[in-house]
Amino acid sequence: MLNRLFGNYLVSMKKLTQVQLDTALSELSGVTARMEVIAVIKRKLTLQQMMELGILGSSEADFTKRVVEAGLLTEDSCEKLMTYQSNRFIVMMQYLVDKGILELSQICDLLDAFRVANDYTEVQLDAFLHEDIEQMVQTFAPCSDIRIKELLHTMVQTFKRLIDRDVYLEQAYTTDCFVAEKCVVQEMIGTLHFKLYFAAGGNDLLAIANYFTKAHYNAVDEDALDNVGEFLNCISGLYATNLSYNDVGIDMNIPEYYAEPMTIHSDKIYVIPIRANGCRLYAVYEACR
């Protein structure tokens, strides 16, 4: 999540190109963050302190020995820093530093500017770094209805696992009318009664169709929409199972799809924009009477 959010900010500030960002996200496998990069991003040590100790690029053992001897960190603190070696955001920063795209000295200032520009709190930014799905939903799709929150949590978690690890949300909104250019929809009935749609313009639903079952479609045709419907059914099934643990029973109708524009009218429509695999799509929640 933070990789794309911060990455998009860096692109807008011309600190890297869109191609560099996309390439970085595709090449993070096998990259391990070094201690100095972790220490700077977690704001445990400054670059100047580490330069004075001469520990830039040193091994974990030497890094720990030198900072503990200098009284800058404890061994426990160093062990905690090591747990971030595979953190996806810090790994991406390591990649950008290794490629000479960013300087380590720039990262914290850029993160601060990014946080201020988007009016995020430090708590939110730290939650994004830890890929806290609950905080992401609360930030971009605040809702008083606990059941909708649970649905969105299940949806984002499933996107991350099956579609795009770096999926993120944009600010949700309510409306009484939504025009879906192409969409799939599934109705849930029982204790709760609602419809959940995935909608998008152009070929943006390929962000799901081309990743869910590893099939490849050139356009959003009936087969691609059927694939999106299977993914929607997967989310609904997981959600229904989670609800059953709290004695809330719902059944799922078979997903339907529409290759032509359709208009959704209701006095309670909740629209959640989603960014995945370079595309924008919309999850649309329609409460039914």
Side-chain angles (χ1 to χ4, degrees):
M1 172 180 60
L2 185 54
N3 279 349
R4 276 291 182 190
L5 286 171
F6 186 55
N8 291 344
Y9 174 78
L10 293 177
V11 171
S12 72
M13 298 301 291
K14 303 190 184 304
K15 297 297 182 181
L16 73 163
T17 67
Q18 187 65 52
V19 171
Q20 287 174 321
L21 173 58
D22 293 340
T23 301
L25 290 172
S26 68
E27 295 184 353
L28 296 183
S29 177
V31 178
T32 300
R34 293 194 300 273
M35 293 294 282
E36 67 264 24
V37 174
I38 302 168
V40 165
I41 293 175
K42 291 298 295 177
R43 303 182 193 244
K44 297 300 183 181
L45 295 171
T46 66
L47 186 57
Q48 182 63 35
Q49 286 174 314
M50 292 185 288
M51 290 175 64
E52 290 173 357
L53 286 177
I55 55 175
L56 294 180
S58 63
S59 67
E60 296 164 15
D62 190 44
F63 180 97
T64 298
K65 180 176 182 293
R66 300 282 293 279
V67 298
V68 170
E69 287 178 348
L72 296 175
L73 293 175
T74 65
E75 289 189 7
D76 284 346
S77 296
C78 290
E79 288 180 6
K80 288 178 181 177
L81 289 181
M82 283 185 222
T83 65
Y84 287 91
Q85 289 182 312
S86 59
N87 177 276
R88 189 162 170 81
F89 175 73
I90 298 180
V91 163
M92 189 173 87
M93 295 302 102
Q94 181 71 67
Y95 176 94
L96 295 176
V97 168
D98 289 345
K99 294 295 182 181
I101 297 171
L102 289 182
E103 297 289 337
L104 182 54
S105 59
Q106 296 177 287
I107 294 176
C108 284
D109 287 343
L110 287 168
L111 276 169
D112 287 340
F114 163 74
R115 180 180 62 79
V116 171
N118 290 279
D119 199 27
Y120 298 139
T121 66
E122 291 184 5
V123 171
Q124 286 174 322
L125 191 62
D126 189 61
F128 297 162
L129 183 146
H130 288 89
E131 299 192 14
D132 186 329
I133 295 176
E134 184 175 345
Q135 182 63 63
M136 177 168 66
V137 170
Q138 180 59 35
T139 299
F140 297 102
C143 178
S144 59
D145 189 324
I146 186 63
R147 297 307 181 194
I148 296 179
K149 282 185 179 180
E150 291 170 347
L151 174 61
L152 296 181
H153 190 282
T154 300
M155 181 188 74
V156 173
Q157 196 170 47
T158 310
F159 259 95
K160 285 179 68 67
R161 188 171 70 252
L162 300 178
I163 304 298
D164 180 6
R165 284 193 62 181
D166 297 301
V167 64
Y168 67 95
L169 306 180
E170 294 179 336
Q171 202 62 49
Y173 61 92
T174 57
T175 184
D176 58 7
C177 178
F178 182 85
V179 178
E181 184 176 319
K182 297 175 183 176
C183 72
V184 297
V185 55
Q186 186 166 33
E187 185 174 11
M188 310 287 280
I189 56 177
T191 305
L192 304 177
H193 188 193
F194 65 91
K195 294 180 181 179
L196 181 63
Y197 302 74
F198 282 139
N203 287 317
D204 277 3
L205 282 175
L206 293 181
I208 296 174
N210 281 347
Y211 293 85
F212 179 48
T213 59
K214 310 305 180 186
H216 181 77
Y217 304 96
N218 294 316
V220 179
D221 55 18
E222 291 187 357
D223 289 336
L225 287 169
D226 186 61
N227 195 318
V228 176
E230 289 298 323
F231 176 66
L232 174 56
N233 193 63
C234 177
I235 292 172
S236 299
L238 289 169
Y239 181 58
T241 298
N242 290 337
L243 288 178
S244 70
Y245 299 143
N246 295 313
D247 296 323
V248 178
I250 57 173
D251 292 317
M252 306 175 295
N253 288 343
I254 296 173
E256 300 176 354
Y257 58 79
Y258 300 87
E260 300 296 329
M262 67 170 294
T263 302
I264 306 166
H265 289 288
S266 176
D267 57 4
K268 187 177 181 181
I269 299 174
Y270 198 44
V271 181
I272 306 96
I274 304 170
R275 288 281 193 167
N277 294 315
C279 298
R280 175 187 275 132
L281 47 147
Y282 301 88
V284 181
Y285 176 95
E286 177 193 358
C288 300
R289 296 181 184 278

